[in-house]
Amino acid sequence: MRSLIVGTGSYAPSRILTNAELEKMVDTTDQWIVERTGIRERHIAAPEEATSDLAYHAATRALEQARLDPKDVEMIVVGTVTPDMPFPSAAAVLQGRLGNKKAFAFDVSAACAGSLYALSIADRYVASGAVKNALVLGADTLTRITDWTDRNTCILFGDGAGAVVLRPTDDPRRGIQSLHLHTDGATWPILHQPGGGSRHPISQKLIDDHSHFVKMNGREVFKIAVRALEDSSLEALAANGMTTGDVDFVIAHQANKRILDATLDRLEIPASKCWMNLEKYGNTSAASVPTTLDEANRAGWFKPGSSILVMAIGGGMAWGAGIIRW
Ligand code: COA
């Protein structure tokens, strides 16, 4: 059996922060941001909106498309590094808000690769027959841990949530064919949030030092990202006896247009096959892949059997790629 995506949904908060507004907050320009990243604007969660709230809207849209009653979901996995609170999980809070009592629910922490990691776990449950209806999300409010005085990072991030519903299929030519995950834990210092965990618990000093915000070595992340996305994509293609010419569509984590252009270039896949939306959302972390999938799906890109190469990378560094047949 394979797990088939039978519904997708996404949600972006209504408040939009433009590059022009960022020009007033830090020493940057719209031109620099667009040229170096491709980002023009991003959505910011309202003060009363937390990650599970964004997830709730994405989930209800995906469930509606799948024509599935929220009460019938058996498993909820949320990829996130910004849960509503350290515990319980955003998935547990979401389960309660959906009025669901059946599903076991938990979060997966793999930063921007979170939704791919979550999808991989749910895929194993559904394809094995252990679960019939799984709800998988990527949801993050990264702007809550963004340092708005650091121009290296604050131009990149936005908030959002994306969701997919998985059900089993007997047709081996459809559904998730394989997902390949990797981690290089030795590289964690290049992208992390130092404070607020067990190593550096919350303190006044930590807050004064801005240690509760994301820290990033952009150049290093960039270099590793292109190589990792290329390697894992080739691994996923080889595992399915495919070459890049067999790829109908690419759904990729929207981190930076230049990272994606370089990766597609190396893979010799035309950029027209890759759905792009970072111009309007920025990097929404785990929300990025399912949001992008939802937009392409609702635009009518996919036909039954279409081959989709998915890829993502984030802090850890954690990354992966895979082949999905619609
Ligand atoms: N506006 C204007 N100038 C900026 C700037 C900003 N927002 N941010 C950095 N700069 C400056 C730097 O200070 C540097 O100036 P200097 O040469 O005087 O020191 C110059 O621009 C070049 O900085 P550099 O870091 O080399 O730029 P870059 O081309 O690598 O672009 C990123 C920076 C962050 C856009 C890029 O490295 C990147 O996208 N990395 C990957 C980040 C990412 O995707 N993270 C999430 C992964 S999931």
Side-chain angles (χ1 to χ4, degrees), residues 26-29 32-33 36-37 111-113 150-157 191 216-223 225 253 255-256 258-259 283 285 313-315 317:
V26 287
D27 181 15
T28 191
T29 62
W32 192 96
I33 301 172
R36 300 289 177 118
T37 71
C112 303
D150 175 14
R151 69 175 182 173
N152 288 299
T153 53
C154 76
I155 55 149
L156 295 173
F157 304 124
L191 182 53
M216 183 184 73
N217 178 337
R219 260 179 240 186
E220 280 305 307
V221 171
F222 195 108
K223 268 192 280 180
H253 170 49
N256 180 319
R258 280 161 56 223
I259 291 179
N283 178 346
S285 188
I313 183 160
M317 298 296 284

Side-chain angles (χ1 to χ4, degrees), residues 78-307:
V78 179
T80 187
V81 287
T82 49
D84 299 25
M85 49 199 127
F87 77 90
S89 63
V93 179
L94 173 65
Q95 190 243 30
R97 185 158 172 202
L98 286 170
N100 175 295
K101 293 201 187 300
K102 205 188 278 183
F104 59 102
F106 60 98
D107 291 352
V108 169
S109 171
C112 303
S115 53
L116 217 55
Y117 272 60
L119 191 64
S120 173
I121 296 165
D123 172 41
R124 306 292 160 129
Y125 274 90
V126 174
S128 70
V131 157
K132 277 206 180 54
N133 299 313
L135 177 62
V136 182
L137 295 105
D140 267 310
T141 42
L142 228 54
T143 68
R144 293 288 212 280
I145 55 167
T146 296
D147 185 346
W148 295 104
T149 65
D150 175 14
R151 69 175 182 173
N152 288 299
T153 53
C154 76
I155 55 149
L156 295 173
F157 304 124
D159 302 328
V164 304
V165 177
L166 294 182
R167 284 186 57 78
T169 176
D170 289 329
D171 185 349
R173 291 160 305 176
R174 297 187 66 195
I176 296 173
Q177 304 293 304
S178 67
L179 294 167
H180 306 263
L181 307 180
H182 296 278
T183 308
D184 180 359
T187 61
W188 71 260
I190 65 172
L191 182 53
H192 70 295
Q193 180 192 4
S198 59
R199 189 164 300 281
H200 302 293
I202 296 167
S203 66
Q204 191 55 51
K205 179 174 183 322
L206 181 142
I207 293 166
D208 293 343
D209 293 345
H210 288 202
S211 294
H212 53 312
F213 294 133
V214 174
K215 309 289 174 200
M216 183 184 73
N217 178 337
R219 260 179 240 186
E220 280 305 307
V221 171
F222 195 108
K223 268 192 280 180
I224 292 179
V226 175
R227 200 176 334 119
L229 292 174
E230 181 195 10
D231 288 351
S232 52
S233 295
L234 291 174
E235 179 189 9
L237 290 167
N240 290 283
M242 294 168 67
T243 66
T244 50
D246 301 319
V247 173
D248 293 326
F249 301 106
V250 178
I251 295 296
H253 170 49
Q254 306 279 304
N256 180 319
K257 185 172 185 311
R258 280 161 56 223
I259 291 179
L260 284 181
D261 284 347
T263 305
L264 293 172
D265 207 45
R266 286 178 179 215
L267 291 169
E268 296 181 8
I269 297 177
S272 58
K273 290 188 174 180
C274 180
W275 188 272
M276 295 295 289
N277 58 22
L278 92 174
E279 199 175 273
K280 50 183 183 163
Y281 299 128
N283 178 346
T284 58
S285 188
S288 176
V289 164
T291 297
T292 308
L293 191 74
D294 180 49
E295 284 195 353
N297 178 30
R298 284 175 194 259
W301 254 25
F302 311 135
K303 304 283 172 279
S306 291
S307 64

